[in-house]
Amino acid sequence: MLMLKNIADKDIPQLKKYYFKNKSNFEIAEIIKEFQNKEYKGKYFEMFGIYSSDLLVGLVSLYQHNSFAVSAGPEIFESYRKMGYGYEAMVKAYEIAKAKGYKLASAQIKKDNIASIKLHEKLGFELESELINKKGNEVYVYQKLL
């Protein structure tokens, strides 16, 4: 059974192994504290751990774009990819977003990120446009009503 829940200090070893490889345990603990604010630059931001049973297999964030739109960013740890965790986590993340009142999900996906494109299409996203983002990457913009 896959669950999304807030990350805790008990997750530091798994986070260090897969995600924050070059950070100290203290630095990771500080990042976990920042995640508890549930805000970034004045907008809603929440980072969830993706847990299979009690094992942390990845992370997924929700980030507010405006009063009605949000995006989710999944990161499945390398050892746990291609097991369906990304899809399940995104479904759950967007259920949370919908319950919080968001109406639209949006995603900017690099044109060469085939796995993410397929995941978003499986989730029911539709291609809205193409653009070059602030980082200079060619991306597709996908959207979905929640």
Side-chain angles (χ1 to χ4, degrees):
M1 168 112 180
L2 194 80
M3 292 182 58
L4 300 187
K5 55 186 179 181
N6 293 115
I7 301 161
D9 286 346
K10 71 174 181 59
D11 299 314
I12 289 173
Q14 192 78 339
L15 288 167
K16 186 167 181 63
K17 180 177 180 181
Y18 289 105
Y19 196 70
F20 295 117
K21 296 177 182 179
N22 298 319
K23 301 230 182 265
S24 70
N25 288 359
F26 176 79
E27 289 172 312
I28 297 170
E30 290 299 305
I31 292 168
I32 290 169
K33 284 182 191 171
E34 287 179 35
F35 288 159
Q36 293 170 353
N37 291 332
K38 299 182 182 181
E39 183 181 294
Y40 180 74
K41 294 186 177 180
K43 294 185 177 183
Y44 167 69
F45 171 85
E46 191 162 3
M47 181 67 78
F48 298 96
I50 303 167
Y51 296 85
S52 176
S53 298
D54 212 24
L55 178 66
L56 180 66
V57 299
L59 304 169
V60 63
S61 63
L62 283 174
Y63 177 71
Q64 173 188 13
H65 293 278
N66 54 44
S67 63
F68 62 87
V70 67
S71 62
E75 175 66 34
I76 305 303
F77 301 151
E78 194 169 348
S79 298
Y80 307 104
R81 292 182 182 158
K82 299 186 188 262
M83 298 176 161
Y85 294 137
Y87 176 80
E88 283 187 67
M90 294 286 280
V91 167
K92 290 182 182 301
Y94 283 123
E95 286 172 358
I96 292 167
K98 186 175 182 177
K100 290 183 176 291
Y102 294 100
K103 307 290 184 209
L104 180 73
S106 180
Q108 277 191 21
I109 306 168
K110 286 185 184 179
K111 287 185 173 184
D112 63 354
N113 191 342
I114 304 304
S116 185
I117 291 167
K118 286 182 178 181
L119 171 62
H120 283 81
E121 288 176 349
K122 183 177 178 180
L123 288 162
F125 280 73
E126 294 184 15
L127 180 61
E128 174 67 24
S129 62
E130 300 177 30
L131 57 87
I132 297 175
N133 69 11
K134 293 177 187 175
K135 296 179 181 177
N137 297 313
E138 292 184 9
V139 297
Y140 294 122
V141 177
Y142 279 84
Q143 293 183 335
K144 170 186 170 168
L145 291 174
L146 295 177

